[in-house]
Amino acid sequence: MGTIAFRRAVAPDLPSIIALLADDPLGRTREDPATPPAAAYVSAFEAIDRDPNQLLAVVTDDDRVVGVLQLTFIPGLSRKGMWRGQIEGVRIAASRRGAGLGGRVFEWAIAECRARGCGLVQLTTDRERPEAHRFYERLGFVASHLGYKKAL
């Protein structure tokens, strides 16, 4: 490993981010890594970048993007007005999986949530990712809720 760094994603990172999202069995069926990126990806990136409660971050190794995640900071009235940090879209380059980088990503993400005053960090994960479930449990996450989604 070279020099690992975490930073806010910038527009030129978008093709690398999309490629990471597409590089797994589920992503292959729902992402489009064609270049240039489809307009919907560009529009979504711009919306995320403008929103102060969103942080799309990349993980770099000697300036090469090797990971991505999105943090959403959610204000809420429940739990006495506690803020939550939502971790989504975490991907590590296939060539870098299994070397501890995922754990470093979550340590960084949790520290960012603490710095923003969050009292809880949460995530969702697809039922089809049992390896990810075991990873999250090793990090101390608890499968405490059942989630539902409805495609529109």
Side-chain angles (χ1 to χ4, degrees):
M1 246 187 262
T3 303
I4 299 296
F6 298 86
R7 63 170 170 77
R8 178 179 287 279
V10 293
D13 295 324
L14 195 51
S16 296
I17 292 168
I18 297 165
L20 286 169
L21 293 172
D23 186 27
D24 73 18
L26 295 176
R28 280 185 206 100
T29 64
R30 59 186 183 201
E31 305 300 344
D32 176 11
T35 53
Y41 284 117
V42 174
S43 178
F45 176 85
E46 291 169 349
I48 292 165
D49 199 46
R50 281 191 307 270
D51 186 336
N53 286 323
Q54 300 290 331
L55 174 57
L56 181 63
V58 291
V59 184
T60 61
D61 184 354
D62 291 334
D63 296 324
R64 181 175 166 260
V65 174
V66 295
V68 64
L69 75 150
Q70 182 175 344
L71 296 177
T72 301
F73 305 103
I74 307 167
L77 292 175
S78 67
R79 297 181 185 234
K80 302 178 183 175
M82 181 175 55
W83 281 70
R84 295 168 189 250
Q86 177 81 23
I87 302 173
E88 290 288 335
V90 179
R91 298 293 189 285
I92 301 298
S95 63
R96 304 304 298 274
R97 293 178 195 148
L101 187 54
R104 289 179 66 182
V105 167
F106 271 83
E107 287 174 12
W108 180 86
I110 292 167
E112 287 294 309
C113 291
R114 276 195 185 102
R116 286 284 300 258
C118 296
L120 181 78
V121 178
Q122 61 190 26
L123 57 85
T124 61
T125 183
D126 195 286
R127 290 179 190 259
E128 302 298 316
R129 297 184 188 279
E131 306 84 25
H133 304 165
R134 289 188 291 276
F135 172 71
Y136 299 140
E137 289 168 1
R138 281 196 307 272
L139 294 176
F141 286 86
V142 177
S144 62
H145 289 70
L146 181 62
Y148 293 88
K149 293 184 180 188
K150 181 176 181 175
L152 302 178

